Amino acid sequence: MALENKIEMVADLIEAAKKFFVDLFRPDMTLEKISEVVSPRLDDMIKKYEERGLEYSAGKFHIKYADEKHFQLEFEMYFKDAEGKWHKCANESDLRDYTLLEVGAWKTIKALKTITFPIEKAQAQGDEVLQKDKNLEEYREAQTAPAISADAPELKKSEDILDINDKK
């Protein structure tokens, strides 16, 4: 690959990363809506740079708690060129006001501090490139699990527990 083409490609990667977060949000965004908006853009970037000879390797998209009134978006993706050299494409948004988010999404971001979605190359048309964040899934399960009431009677001894198989 000619040096001029390589420099141009790297400069293009940087410019695309800078423009990534422009006009991304609308009011009352959920984490799912963010994923739906971001995933196709990331997929387009992967395709664009693979068409130019880079091979996509891995990446991550983050939604981060910044302070009591702000959050931030960030991504990083890694590509390898034909000569085996690595290229990082990354950017972070300006601080975004929490009022852009749906209340539950903001509470989740405040609780987890960082939500990380692995970026995987789409295998078929329409595939999402953002994968699920395991911490987010566990957090949501914990939030929807029925709470044990403080008034619930406690079992005192293991003898108090009857085994169904013992009753014949």
Side-chain angles (χ1 to χ4, degrees):
M1 179 180 289
L3 182 60
E4 294 97 27
N5 288 342
K6 196 171 193 177
I7 291 170
E8 182 181 316
M9 185 169 37
V10 171
D12 206 25
L13 259 173
I14 293 167
E15 190 60 32
K18 285 180 184 176
K19 294 179 180 178
F20 188 83
F21 292 113
V22 176
D23 296 328
L24 186 65
F25 276 84
R26 304 290 177 258
D28 293 321
M29 295 289 285
T30 63
L31 297 174
E32 289 74 18
K33 286 283 185 196
I34 293 171
S35 178
E36 288 172 14
V37 171
V38 169
S39 190
R41 288 183 176 203
L42 292 170
D43 188 38
D44 288 346
M45 285 183 77
I46 291 169
K47 288 176 183 173
K48 178 179 180 180
Y49 293 104
E50 284 194 330
E51 287 170 2
R52 297 181 85 183
L54 294 176
E55 182 183 339
Y56 177 73
S57 181
K60 292 181 180 182
F61 174 76
H62 309 280
I63 304 172
K64 295 182 172 184
Y65 174 83
D67 61 38
E68 280 299 313
K69 301 222 180 249
H70 299 97
F71 67 99
Q72 192 169 33
L73 307 173
E74 179 180 290
F75 75 90
E76 57 190 50
M77 296 190 298
Y78 297 90
F79 296 86
K80 197 174 198 180
D81 66 23
E83 297 166 6
K85 293 184 181 169
W86 289 97
H87 301 276
K88 179 179 179 181
C89 179
N91 195 13
E92 60 183 29
S93 70
D94 293 332
L95 294 181
R96 304 290 179 149
D97 195 275
Y98 79 101
T99 59
L100 288 171
L101 299 171
E102 180 266 332
V103 174
W106 177 240
K107 286 181 182 178
T108 301
I109 292 168
K110 280 178 69 173
L112 295 177
K113 302 300 183 216
T114 300
I115 300 168
T116 301
F117 299 92
I119 303 169
E120 293 184 10
K121 187 173 147 182
Q123 300 302 314
Q125 183 71 18
D127 281 356
E128 293 286 320
V129 296
L130 290 181
Q131 305 305 304
K132 293 183 180 185
D133 176 299
K134 291 177 180 142
N135 292 334
L136 175 60
E137 297 299 312
E138 290 171 4
Y139 175 80
R140 286 183 169 167
E141 285 177 22
Q143 295 301 309
T144 58
I148 298 175
S149 169
D151 300 332
E154 293 184 35
L155 296 174
K156 294 180 176 111
K157 299 184 216 168
S158 61
E159 293 89 33
D160 294 339
I161 302 171
L162 295 175
D163 186 359
I164 294 174
N165 293 328
D166 289 343
K167 295 202 167 205
K168 292 186 180 177

